[in-house]
Amino acid sequence: MDDTVTLKGQAAHAAARRLAPGPQGKKPRPMFSPRNIMIYGALIFAAAYYLLPLYVMVVTSLKGMPEIRLGNIFSPPLEITFEPWVKAWSSACTGLNCDGLSRGFWNSVRITIPSTIVSIAIASINGYALANWRFKGADLFFTILIVGAFIPYQVMIYPIVIVLREMGLYGSLTGLIIVHTIFGMPILTLLFRNYFTSLPEELFKAARVDGAGFWTIYFKIMLPMSLPIFVVAMILQVTGIWNDFLFGVVFTRPEYYPMTVQLNNIVNSVQGVKEYNVNMAATILTGAVPLIVYFVSGRLFVRGIAAGAVKG
Amino acid sequence: MNNVSVSVRDLSLSFGAVTVLDTLNLDIKNGEFLVLLGSSGCGKSTLLNCIAGLLDVTGGQIFIKDKNVTWEEPKDRGIGMVFQSYALYPQMTVERNLSFGLRVAKLPQAEIDKRVARAAEILQIQPLLKRKPSELSGGQRQRVAIGRALVRDVDVFLFDEPLSNLDAKLRSELRVEIKRLHQSLENTMIYVTHDQIEALTLADRIAVMKSGVIQQLADPMTIYNFPENLFVAGFIGSPSMNFFRGEIKDKGGRKVVEVNGVDFGMEAYPARGSLEAGRKVVLGVRPEHVKVDESVSGMEVHDAVVDIEEPMGADNLLWLKHAGQTMSVRIAGSRRYAPGTALKLSFDMAMASVFDAVTENRI
Ligand SMILES: Nc1ncnc2c1ncn2[C@@H]1O[C@H](COP(=O)(O)OP(=O)(O)OP(=O)(O)O)[C@@H](O)[C@H]1O
Ligand SMILES: [Mg+2]
């Protein structure tokens, strides 16, 4: 009897609490509070600041030359034309030949893909060895690698030219691929080492007790857990190598020039009138690859950067 | 010699300039459950990793089943290991986790299936075989981790704090299960923990470690009742042993430990050596070795007043000030004493421990 009384009492108490007047649930927030205006204002301003040049480029690339000469760079095209894009891709003149950016595009593809794959493969194994196998001299090796990352490129260009010449690779695509692979090594190794260090060490120990060796652990245990960091490395390398200009000019011959160098040649070619619409289209075409890479894998990129940054 | 399963001889290990283990010796018998007990950072895991072959020793030797394995790879030592963080391979199903080592060793598929099935049955994880580790609870994960050691069919199991990531209830369940596993498999187990309850309940023998040195190696009851030194005495037991700093005196032919003017007669104490007068000592008495208001012959009876009462269900813990020290007494849970109550304490000196105040060793 006593029990039921207290149970009833509790229920009544709970009901009273439920019905109590006054604030409850989610706190309402006004849309146009000073705080929101500040935050969204700043964000919209920053976005506009970065998007405006892109807008101008897209708009200009879709106009004909007569319309451009009117001088209003912000106005949308009166008459949309894709002529400049076609010209930029297939018939714009780059100094000697007039076959547009397409040649540079395929050169860049032939440079970027092998450089990215080779540098990531080597750097991930480096990072794995440094993080998990603490071999003799590992610290020294790592220090040297990191110091390498801080030496300015310009200092190394001429010695590398000589080395490539002696190897008979100067001016070839292979030579440029080797250079890109080497220059990607410090930062990528650091990235992978930190990522592998952040993985639980006991996992590695368990695999060793299970009898797995260097390569088995790398391929069967580490690789499947490391997709995000591989995506980060891929984005860094693809954008870095694709956007490279200096190495492309210095280490290759004109027929192997990457897209960036050809873009420069188109934009700066002195013959005839400046075709702003073609230049804009060419620029967008050149920047398209890194942009697409970002859009496709941006989410993984952020996750990988975060994972690598937390520890190590 | 052939009764020894794992033998550690003069083992030393340093990380650079830091020496963690220094000429450590330890023999573990066949089928024995040995617990390495010590506070954080004392080198328990380091010792276990040396035995497993996951750390290169700086000096000394390790024998497993009479074979010198000092330079052997972990997989060739005949050991299985279970880690605190479970260390399950996240991308593999439970079944593939269990069979990974066997697949690496290229065992025939039939044999692999047989061993996985057996381990799954022993640990009752058959329904989980197709799941990924992320789909398991903590207790289930640790079962799988134990299973991974089980399928290796080895003589020696190494556990590194396997239960400390689990909540209290699961911990006590799995503790019983590990004990049952040991009773049915009868292989050697070396178990690292800093939990004294685990140590006392599981161990055949406990090695209490402090800064890389084994302080005492004995069965749990000996460790509990006859601690070899002050560290072991203070480390084991909750609440910890009551300590009284005093001096041995000769009072009319009677040996006593005088603590702030209060005398504890030493007639019943099983001293190893002589209790010469003037020696500074620490007298230790466990809370349950003091009786309250019960006249027991041969015990030291003192007057005292209750300070705080802590009822704990089965037990009742009384805190009081005596001989200038705070001490605790454990009595049956049904006997209640309000603070301020006067009572008589009877000290069971036969179960007491006396340590030299300087060397801190048992006298
Ligand atoms: N890789 C390392 N480099 C340098 N010092 C280390 C390394 N690993 C452990 N130590 C040191 O060795 C000592 C013993 O470490 P160990 O991991 O064996 O302790 P533990 O008894 O297992 O402690 P816990 O209960 O916290 O696991 C610690 O003082 C630690 O700082
Ligand atoms: Mg440890």
Side-chain angles (χ1 to χ4, degrees):
Chain A
M1 208 41 224
D2 255 20
D3 283 1
T4 50
V5 169
T6 51
L7 273 179
K8 264 185 195 157
Q10 273 172 8
H13 187 61
R17 268 210 313 239
R18 253 203 315 277
L19 295 174
Q24 55 170 303
K26 198 175 166 202
K27 186 176 174 186
R29 289 186 193 283
M31 263 264 266
F32 293 102
S33 67
R35 182 164 152 259
N36 280 3
I37 291 172
M38 284 286 284
I39 291 175
Y40 287 101
L43 289 176
I44 289 168
F45 176 77
Y49 185 81
Y50 279 100
L51 285 178
L52 203 59
L54 186 65
Y55 167 77
V56 170
M57 283 169 64
V58 173
V59 169
T60 310
S61 73
L62 295 174
K63 291 175 184 169
M65 273 317 283
E67 203 181 325
I68 291 173
R69 284 199 199 92
L70 294 178
N72 193 348
I73 60 167
F74 293 110
S75 67
L78 299 171
E79 210 180 309
I80 292 181
T81 167
F82 290 99
E83 199 56 37
W85 288 74
V86 176
K87 185 168 184 197
W89 177 254
S90 57
S91 64
C93 291
T94 62
L96 298 176
N97 42 37
C98 286
D99 50 4
L101 276 174
S102 54
R103 172 203 295 270
F105 174 81
W106 290 113
N107 280 342
S108 279
V109 169
R110 280 158 69 197
I111 294 164
T112 305
I113 290 179
S115 307
T116 303
I117 292 174
V118 173
S119 61
I120 289 179
I122 297 177
S124 64
I125 294 165
N126 276 352
Y128 160 65
L130 284 167
N132 290 311
W133 290 89
R134 303 216 187 82
F135 52 92
K136 230 190 187 123
D139 288 338
L140 181 71
F141 179 78
F142 187 59
T143 313
I144 292 174
L145 208 60
I146 295 308
V147 168
F150 290 105
I151 297 177
Y153 286 180
Q154 294 78 348
V155 175
M156 295 195 255
I157 284 180
Y158 187 55
I160 291 177
V161 168
I162 295 175
V163 170
L164 287 181
R165 192 189 64 203
E166 294 306 310
M167 290 166 70
L169 292 172
Y170 180 65
S172 69
L173 280 182
T174 316
L176 183 58
I177 290 168
I178 292 176
V179 171
H180 276 307
T181 303
I182 291 172
F183 274 90
M185 213 41 60
I187 189 70
L188 288 186
T189 302
L190 178 69
L191 195 71
F192 278 106
R193 190 202 79 117
N194 285 1
Y195 185 81
F196 289 131
T197 316
S198 76
L199 296 179
E201 195 193 358
E202 294 191 337
L203 217 50
F204 171 77
K205 288 181 174 175
R208 285 198 63 199
V209 171
D210 265 341
F214 187 92
W215 295 110
T216 313
I217 296 180
Y218 176 73
F219 283 112
K220 294 270 171 66
I221 310 292
M222 296 301 177
L223 269 197
M225 290 168 61
S226 313
L227 178 67
I229 204 68
F230 274 88
V231 171
V232 170
M234 188 204 67
I235 291 177
L236 283 180
Q237 284 303 82
V238 168
T239 52
I241 295 169
W242 190 273
N243 289 337
D244 162 68
F245 180 85
L246 183 62
F247 293 168
V249 178
V250 175
F251 297 116
T252 54
R253 293 193 296 272
E255 70 256 40
Y256 293 138
Y257 277 164
M259 204 171 183
T260 45
V261 179
Q262 290 214 308
L263 171 68
N264 175 67
N265 290 353
I266 290 176
V267 174
N268 288 338
S269 85
V270 283
Q271 314 133 334
V273 287
K274 278 233 183 284
E275 294 179 294
Y276 290 109
N277 50 0
V278 175
N279 292 351
M280 294 298 179
T283 310
I284 296 173
L285 281 173
T286 309
V289 167
L291 268 181
I292 290 170
V293 170
Y294 273 127
F295 281 134
V296 171
S297 42
R299 185 181 291 269
L300 283 166
F301 181 75
V302 173
R303 223 172 70 195
I305 283 278
V310 173
K311 257 196 180 175
Chain B
M1 196 65 227
N2 49 21
N3 192 27
V4 176
S5 173
V6 177
S7 175
V8 175
R9 300 204 197 141
D10 289 340
L11 183 73
S12 298
L13 187 124
S14 322
F15 294 108
V18 188
T19 301
V20 178
L21 303 174
D22 189 18
T23 56
L24 184 139
N25 285 286
L26 182 62
D27 280 333
I28 299 148
K29 297 194 208 83
N30 256 330
E32 184 174 32
F33 200 121
L34 182 103
V35 171
L36 294 172
L37 178 66
S39 48
S40 193
C42 70
K44 311 179 294 288
S45 300
T46 306
L47 174 56
L48 204 67
N49 283 328
C50 286
I51 295 174
L54 294 168
L55 279 175
D56 279 340
V57 307
T58 316
Q61 295 178 314
I62 296 166
F63 291 81
I64 296 179
K65 293 271 161 198
D66 290 334
K67 183 175 157 216
N68 186 339
V69 296
T70 313
W71 291 343
E72 299 284 340
E73 280 292 300
K75 67 175 160 63
D76 301 323
R77 296 189 176 208
I79 52 131
M81 193 158 176
V82 179
F83 298 90
Q84 176 176 356
S85 64
Y86 324 128
L88 299 179
Y89 313 125
Q91 71 280 8
M92 298 184 199
T93 60
V94 167
E95 187 174 14
R96 298 197 60 85
N97 260 286
L98 291 176
S99 62
F100 179 71
L102 308 180
R103 282 182 283 130
V104 169
K106 300 208 164 59
L107 257 63
Q109 190 59 41
E111 174 71 14
I112 295 179
D113 291 344
K114 202 179 89 193
R115 290 207 203 170
V116 169
R118 177 171 159 268
E121 195 198 322
I122 293 176
L123 296 163
Q124 300 177 345
I125 49 175
Q126 295 109 319
L128 312 176
L129 285 179
K130 296 289 175 222
R131 291 204 207 162
K132 291 271 179 69
S134 55
E135 298 159 351
L136 303 178
S137 71
Q140 291 171 332
R141 284 181 205 185
Q142 200 53 288
R143 260 172 236 257
V144 176
I146 293 173
R148 202 167 47 181
L150 213 58
V151 294
R152 291 179 54 74
D153 229 353
V154 288
D155 303 315
V156 181
F157 273 33
L158 308 176
F159 293 89
D160 193 351
E161 308 204 27
L163 306 183
S164 47
N165 279 7
L166 304 175
D167 63 55
K169 185 162 172 292
L170 263 177
R171 202 181 306 168
S172 55
E173 276 175 29
L174 225 56
R175 197 172 67 210
V176 174
E177 224 163 287
I178 290 177
K179 186 148 192 167
R180 189 174 295 137
L181 195 67
H182 179 240
Q183 275 169 7
S184 65
L185 296 179
E186 296 182 330
N187 44 9
T188 310
M189 294 194 175
I190 307 178
Y191 187 106
V192 164
T193 182
H194 58 246
D195 181 322
Q196 45 171 308
I197 306 292
E198 274 172 34
L200 292 168
T201 52
L202 288 172
D204 292 325
R205 281 195 303 165
I206 300 176
V208 182
M209 288 182 70
K210 180 195 172 194
S211 0
V213 180
I214 295 180
Q215 304 288 315
Q216 186 171 5
L217 175 62
D219 64 283
M221 278 306 121
T222 308
I223 295 254
Y224 188 79
N225 289 320
F226 305 102
E228 224 21 75
N229 60 36
L230 206 53
F231 174 80
V232 177
F235 192 79
I236 307 245
S238 166
S240 88
M241 193 183 255
N242 300 301
F243 291 119
F244 300 93
R245 290 195 171 268
E247 189 179 333
I248 296 181
K249 294 223 165 124
D250 211 335
K251 295 207 171 163
R254 185 173 180 240
K255 283 270 167 43
V256 300
V257 174
E258 190 191 281
V259 181
N260 293 327
V262 180
D263 290 348
F264 293 83
M266 298 302 292
E267 293 89 349
Y269 179 70
R272 290 182 184 167
S274 66
L275 297 168
E276 69 271 20
R279 194 166 178 182
K280 296 258 191 291
V281 296
V282 178
L283 169 67
V285 185
R286 292 214 177 270
E288 60 272 30
H289 294 151
V290 184
K291 298 265 178 290
V292 174
D293 288 343
E294 285 176 88
S295 53
V296 185
S297 66
M299 287 195 182
E300 277 295 297
V301 181
H302 296 169
D303 289 316
V305 176
V306 179
D307 209 1
I308 288 171
E309 186 192 26
E310 276 190 315
M312 306 175 79
D315 298 336
N316 194 1
L317 216 54
L318 304 181
W319 291 89
L320 16 87
K321 282 244 163 27
H322 185 56
Q325 319 260 344
T326 302
M327 65 170 291
S328 61
V329 177
R330 195 196 300 273
I331 55 175
S334 55
R335 300 179 58 204
R336 304 295 299 270
Y337 284 85
T341 316
L343 42 67
K344 288 207 180 309
L345 300 176
S346 312
F347 290 85
D348 185 353
M349 297 308 284
M351 296 304 287
S353 301
V354 178
F355 307 99
D356 187 290
V358 181
T359 65
E360 303 199 337
N361 287 329
R362 191 183 184 86
I363 303 175

